[in-house]
Amino acid sequence: MPELPEVETVRRGLQPVLEGARFAKVDVHRGDLRWPLAKDFVKRLHGKTVTGLGRRAKYLLADLSSGDVLMMHLGMSGSFHVFENHGAASLGRYYHERAQHVTHDHVVFHMSSGAIVTFNDPRRFGSMKIVSRQNLDAEPLLRGLGPEPLGNAFDAAMLANACRGKKTSLKAALLDQRVVAGLGNIYVCEALHRALLSPKRLASTIATRSGAPNDRAERLVDAIKRVLADAIKDGGSSLRDHKLTDGGLGMFQHHFRVYDREGQPCRTPGCGGTVKRLVQNGRSTFYCPTCQK
Ligand SMILES: [Zn+2]
C-alpha cells in the first residue's frame, strides 16, 4: 500500500502535467471504485482548469477553476500513468506496458496540453470524489486528521501533548491518524528505529506529566521528518530518471533499516543487534531490541 512519501512522489510527478491544464475530456470506464463516482463527476471536471495540486495525508487534492476540489486516493494498488507524445512515464506502482493494463484504466483524463493521465487500479480500493473547496474542512474523509508530519505544526510539543497519558504503545499512537496524518506501518517502524525508541514503549513516556515534550519526543519528531524527507528524495530521484517501474517506493526500500529485515543485523552503527519481528495490533513491527529502548 502506498504510504505518504509515495503519494507525495506521485503528486510531484503529476503537478507539472495537471497544473494550468484544462480537462478537455474525461472518460470513466469503471465508476465503481472504493465507492461509486458521483453521477456529476465528469460534468464537474469537464472544461475546468487545475489551479493547483496539493496533498493532505494520503489524498491528492486538485483545486479546480470552478472552486471545486478533486480528491484522489490511491488505495491499495492505484497508480497514475502519464502519456505524452514522447511516450509514457509511470507514477506509482505496477507499471506495465499500456496494452497490458488498459483494462484496469478506470478513469482517463485528456488534458488540454495533449497529455493523457490514466488512473489504473486492479483492486479498486482507490477513490475519487469532488467536493467544494468551501466545504473541505467539513469533509468526513479529512475531518479529524492530525497535522501533516512534514508541516511546521507537527513538532515535539504537539506530539507529546497528543501522547500525554496514553496507555497504548508508542507504535499504535503514531499509527493513529488523529495524532499525526498519513504515517503507515513502514515509516513508523523506520522512524522508531532512527529515534532508538522501542515500539512497545508506552506512548505517554515521551511526555512529562504535564504534557511537555521530553528528549524522546524531540528525537522522535526529528526521526519522522528525516525518514519521510529521505524517502521522498529517493522517490523523486527515481521519478526523474523514469525508473519508478517496480514499485512506488523507488530506491528507498533498499535503505530500510529494520522494515522487512527480520533476523538481519541492525544498521545502527556499533549496535551489533539483530532485527526482530513482533505483531502489534495485528500488524508486523520490525525493531532492534538491542538499541531501541
Ligand atoms: Zn540496534
Side-chain angles (χ1 to χ4, degrees):
M1 183 186 288
E3 289 204 20
L4 188 148
E6 291 82 64
V7 178
E8 177 61 19
T9 297
V10 170
R11 188 193 72 79
R12 291 179 185 191
L14 285 179
Q15 192 173 31
V17 180
L18 291 183
E19 278 188 6
R22 188 167 38 80
F23 290 97
K25 187 166 162 251
V26 175
D27 292 326
V28 174
H29 298 301
R30 275 196 85 146
D32 56 336
L33 301 179
R34 181 162 193 166
W35 50 78
L37 293 180
K39 286 202 168 61
D40 61 356
F41 180 80
V42 172
K43 197 176 140 206
R44 281 172 84 169
L45 292 180
H46 188 84
K48 310 303 187 298
T49 299
V50 178
T51 56
L53 184 65
R55 180 186 55 75
R56 176 75 172 109
K58 298 205 294 184
Y59 286 92
L60 295 170
L61 302 177
D63 268 291
L64 309 179
S65 51
S66 58
D68 279 337
V69 177
L70 168 61
M71 298 174 59
M72 300 177 279
H73 196 284
L74 296 169
M76 310 275 289
S77 60
S79 61
F80 286 94
H81 300 252
V82 178
F83 297 88
E84 291 179 278
N85 291 335
H86 54 272
S90 172
L91 303 173
R93 304 190 144 195
Y94 302 120
Y95 172 83
H96 303 288
E97 291 303 313
R98 181 160 165 75
Q100 289 177 304
H101 69 64
V102 74
T103 53
H104 297 296
D105 282 349
H106 306 310
V107 181
V108 181
F109 300 136
H110 300 261
M111 307 308 294
S112 55
S113 59
I116 296 171
V117 179
T118 66
F119 178 66
N120 182 276
D121 187 359
R123 298 182 64 180
R124 286 185 286 119
F125 281 106
S127 61
M128 293 196 190
K129 182 177 181 180
I130 300 174
V131 296
S132 133
R133 168 53 76 174
Q134 275 186 318
N135 298 335
L136 201 63
D137 286 343
E139 167 54 40
L141 295 170
L142 303 179
R143 203 174 44 201
L145 284 176
E148 285 291 319
L150 289 169
N152 291 333
F154 181 66
D155 59 15
M158 179 271 140
L159 183 60
N161 194 48
C163 289
R164 175 187 182 183
K166 257 193 195 295
K167 297 302 173 200
T168 55
S169 70
L170 192 49
K171 189 196 176 198
L174 293 178
L175 286 174
D176 183 344
Q177 300 298 300
R178 294 166 298 185
V179 171
V180 53
L183 279 189
N185 201 37
I186 294 175
Y187 294 100
V188 167
C189 291
E190 291 294 311
L192 285 168
H193 182 257
R194 287 193 187 206
L196 304 178
L197 293 173
S198 169
K200 297 189 283 188
R201 167 182 285 285
L202 285 185
S204 58
T205 61
I206 66 163
T208 65
R209 216 165 278 166
S210 62
N214 60 26
D215 171 60
R216 296 182 196 113
E218 303 278 357
R219 260 156 49 205
L220 186 53
V221 165
D222 185 51
I224 291 168
K225 288 180 186 282
R226 273 188 299 123
V227 75
L228 293 175
D230 286 354
I232 290 168
K233 202 168 110 221
D234 275 13
S237 58
S238 37
L239 196 66
R240 268 197 303 281
D241 301 337
H242 299 288
K243 281 180 186 162
L244 197 63
T245 55
D246 57 352
L249 296 175
M251 293 301 286
F252 192 72
Q253 53 195 314
H254 303 303
H255 300 314
F256 288 158
R257 296 189 187 178
V258 283
Y259 189 79
D260 210 16
R261 294 190 65 244
E262 185 182 12
Q264 295 182 50
C266 173
R267 285 181 170 163
T268 298
C271 170
T274 301
V275 176
K276 295 261 186 292
R277 185 179 79 93
L278 70 96
V279 176
Q280 288 179 294
N281 306 96
R283 309 195 61 186
S284 287
T285 297
F286 297 90
Y287 76 114
C288 171
T290 307
C291 65
Q292 288 181 253
K293 297 297 180 192

